[in-house]
Amino acid sequence: MSAPLARQPRRAVHGVLLLDKPLGMTSNQALQRAKRLLRAEKAGHTGTLDPLASGLLPLCFGAATKFAQTCLDADKRYRATLALGERTPSGDRETPVIERRDVAVDRAAIDAACRRFIGAINQVPPMHSALKKDGRALYDYARAGIEVERAPRRVTIDRIDVVSWRASELVLDVSCSKGTYIRTLADDIGQALGCGAHLAALRRTGAGRLDVQDAVTPDALEHMTEAERDAWLQPTDCLLSDWPVVRLAADEAGRFLTGLRRRIEGADAAAVRVYGSEPLAFLGSAHITAGELIADRLLSPMEVRATIAAESL
C-alpha cells in the first residue's frame, strides 16, 4: 500500500481570484479547491453562488478578506435563461414542473413584461432559499411541504435586456442590486406574460466592476504551475476600484497604519481607499469627516510589504 501524499505547507497569499464557477459545484467547494491549489493560509468568498448557477465567484485571500463585504454589497449582473410555459415550486429546475401553459407571446409583450420590473421593486423570497425563519432555513420548510410567511424585500433592477428569444426559451441580461432573486424575477415575468416561466439556467457575469471575462475556471487553475496561479491574483484594492483615492506621504502613511486620525484637505466622504506614496501601496479603507481621515479597515505592515512585493513581480 502506497504512503499517502504529504500535505503541502500553507503560505501567506494576498489578493482576489476571479473564479468562473462551473455548474454543480458549491461556492465552498470552489473556495476550498482554489485555497488548496494556491496553498493559501486564509481565504473566503464574497457571497455564495448556487450550485445550479455558473459564473463569477470572486475569492479573497489574506488581506483581501478584510474587504470581501464590499463585493457582497455590490450590484450584480446575470445572464438568465427562462423556460416559458412551465412553472416550478422553486422557480428553477431544482423541482418538478407543476404547471404548464401554452406560450402565445410576441416581442412587444416580452419587452412590456420586462419593463414592469425595472426600478425598485418588492420581492418575496422563494421558499427554496437559505434565508432563515426561527433558526431554520426556508428550504427545510419547503422540503417538508410547509410554506411560511416571508416579508417582502426591496431590491432594484437596473436593466433587463433581451439577448434572444425563440419559442419557449427567453434569454435575458439582468443588472440588479444585491439580494435579488433571479428565479423569483423569472417567475414574475412568466406570470406577467400569462404563460408562466421558470429559471432554466443562470450565469453570473459581473459583480461591481469585476467581470467574468477576467475569470479562470477551477480546471484551468488545476493544470497551472504555482507561479501561473499567482499571476491570476488581482490586487486587494480591485474590490474598491470605484472608491475615491487618498494618497499619504510616507510619514503620514505610517501614522495612518497605526489607526491614528489624520487631518487632510478634502470634502466629507463615506468611503475612500488610502495609499502610501513612497512606494505607492494600498493601506486600507477609511472615511472623511470634517477634514479628518478616519481608518475603517487597515492592512498590517506585513500585509502592505507582501502586496508591494507581489505587485513588483
Side-chain angles (χ1 to χ4, degrees):
M1 184 175 179
S2 60
L5 293 175
R7 185 175 178 179
Q8 292 294 309
R10 298 291 184 180
R11 63 192 179 118
V13 176
H14 304 284
V16 180
L17 179 70
L18 304 185
L19 199 72
D20 187 347
K21 188 190 81 65
L23 290 172
M25 182 180 287
T26 69
S27 296
N28 188 57
Q29 287 170 338
L31 172 66
Q32 295 307 321
R33 187 173 176 185
K35 184 179 180 182
R36 172 181 60 81
L37 290 170
L38 287 166
R39 297 193 297 112
E41 293 176 342
K42 185 177 182 180
H45 56 63
T46 56
T48 58
L49 187 59
D50 193 271
L52 292 179
S54 67
L56 182 65
L57 181 66
L59 303 179
C60 295
F61 295 89
T65 60
K66 298 177 180 181
F67 307 96
Q69 186 66 38
T70 61
C71 192
L72 184 63
D73 292 340
D75 290 348
K76 306 296 190 298
R77 299 184 299 282
Y78 297 93
R79 177 154 292 184
T81 301
L82 279 59
L84 303 179
E86 297 179 341
R87 294 190 72 210
T88 70
S90 60
D92 59 18
R93 58 187 176 86
E94 186 177 9
T95 53
V97 174
I98 56 170
E99 183 181 359
R100 287 185 170 89
R101 302 183 207 167
D102 292 336
V103 180
V105 300
D106 57 21
R107 178 58 188 265
I110 290 171
D111 289 342
C114 291
R115 282 196 299 270
R116 286 179 56 177
F117 300 98
I118 300 296
I121 62 172
N122 288 326
Q123 271 195 340
V124 177
M127 281 299 304
H128 290 76
S129 69
L131 287 179
K132 292 188 176 181
K133 182 170 178 69
D134 299 328
R136 187 179 176 188
L138 290 181
Y139 57 72
D140 284 337
Y141 291 102
R143 289 167 183 168
I146 302 170
E147 182 158 349
V148 299
E149 186 175 350
R150 291 96 69 202
R153 301 171 66 175
R154 198 70 169 169
V155 299
T156 301
I157 311 293
D158 296 310
R159 292 178 63 105
I160 302 178
D161 297 319
V162 176
V163 177
S164 65
W165 165 58
R166 64 176 186 275
S168 60
E169 182 181 274
L170 174 63
V171 181
L172 304 173
D173 276 348
V174 180
S175 298
C176 57
S177 64
K178 71 165 186 174
T180 301
Y181 286 99
I182 304 298
R183 53 194 153 127
T184 299
L185 178 64
D187 184 74
D188 288 344
I189 289 174
Q191 294 290 74
L193 287 169
C195 62
H198 72 271
L199 188 65
L202 183 66
R203 180 166 174 78
R204 185 155 68 191
T205 56
R209 293 195 178 185
L210 306 178
D211 196 281
V212 74
Q213 292 185 6
D214 301 317
V216 62
T217 66
D219 283 349
L221 208 63
E222 189 89 40
H223 292 91
M224 294 178 186
T225 66
E226 188 166 276
E228 289 171 335
R229 292 172 192 144
D230 288 349
W232 276 94
L233 286 169
Q234 305 274 348
T236 294
D237 57 343
C238 75
L239 297 173
L240 318 178
S241 60
D242 55 349
W243 290 16
V245 171
V246 171
R247 287 187 172 86
L248 299 175
D251 58 338
E252 289 294 293
R255 295 186 182 97
F256 174 76
L257 279 178
T258 68
L260 292 175
R261 299 185 178 197
R262 314 311 306 147
R263 297 295 303 180
I264 64 168
E265 299 283 339
D268 287 2
V272 297
R273 47 192 167 124
V274 184
Y275 295 83
S277 57
E278 298 176 9
L280 182 65
F282 177 58
L283 306 179
S285 63
H287 60 280
I288 302 173
T289 301
E292 282 193 321
L293 181 68
I294 304 169
D296 291 322
R297 291 191 178 275
L298 296 173
L299 273 66
S300 69
M302 184 179 297
E303 289 169 340
V304 173
R305 290 193 293 272
T307 55
I308 292 173
E311 290 173 22
S312 66
L313 294 178

